[in-house]
Amino acid sequence: MAKAPTTPAAPVVNPAEQVVKLLTTAKQTMVTAESCTGGMLAAAVTDIPGASAVLYGGYVTYANNAKSRMIRVPARLIKDYGAVSNQVARAMADGARNTAHTDFAIAVTGIAGPEGGSEKKPVGLVYVAVSSEHATLVVEHRFGDLGRAKVREASVNAAMDLLLVVLTDPQGNDASRLS
Amino acid sequence: MAKAPTTPAAPVVNPAEQVVKLLTTAKQTMVTAESCTGGMLAAAVTDIPGASAVLYGGYVTYANNAKSRMIRVPARLIKDYGAVSNQVARAMADGARNTAHTDFAIAVTGIAGPEGGSEKKPVGLVYVAVSSEHATLVVEHRFGDLGRAKVREASVNAAMDLLLVVLTDPQGNDASRLS
């Protein structure tokens, strides 16, 4: 009996490559602001040849005072809500975009573990944010304690996906895609 | 016939782990400034649990004006010598250390390819620099056109090795180790 025709596999698309391509076409620029991913997000973008056309650079704001000094996250916000919070993720994205004068900024703050987790804010809690001239979006993820490397990797993917959503739907007409 | 006794394999030591350990013991801090490695160096350090005790953060200064605005590399220096030069590597390391107020800064600038190479400055030309209160060291590498990923990886390793040399011999008494 003949086999059923197989569906061709979807082409493997690198999200960072898509980001660079979309921004290049639109002649737009981006910057990164990272805490728990500590440079991985910028590294994923700069892995793509031609990234220099769209990437201004990145801030690895690992210490709390690096967040305040590099990209003007109010120290008060960190004190009141904690470095891993919706509010600080938003302030990182907005602060990076305003400091760097780019069209987009993408920010990540989270708890990669193994230390630093608590009942309210467990290991795997990660906020990703994208700031554009239209809006700033923040998404909370609870990846669970997958181990430091996997939480960081999941965070990079989540951040890149959120930026792709914004880049392909800048007016936010299709909010369901964020779920 | 009995086999010759085998020499036990040297333990695999992660240079980033050594860096974090040495700085933690010395209660010292560091910052990164990256061009061609684009975040990989910071990512390697933040891969180590406990890095937050020693890493202030990192600057991914991908665009030339990011080098000037984030860490005060004189635009004139970039114009006169090029972004990939001994002079700019030194200015990136010194500028990052002074901007971040850390004990050490480590900087990388190079040509990862596939584009951007020339006869005088071929793909694989990479400068790594370490700035400390005692001195600023710059080392030129010519890795050759290994491909973008391998040039970036070799650059991270070279930078981490140079920092380790400085951390284990801060007065530079054993300059031969740099060869």
Side-chain angles (χ1 to χ4, degrees), chain A residues 111-135:
Chain A
I111 301 165
E115 308 293 324
S118 65
E119 200 175 328
K120 273 196 173 170
K121 297 191 174 180
V123 171
L125 174 66
V126 174
Y127 294 88
V128 300
V130 170
S131 173
S132 74
E133 63 165 324
H134 297 294

Side-chain angles (χ1 to χ4, degrees), chain B residues 17 22 47 49 59 73 91 94 108 110 146 174:
Chain B
E17 201 171 332
L22 287 167
D47 188 44
Y59 304 94
V73 174
D94 288 341
V108 187
L146 310 172
D174 187 6

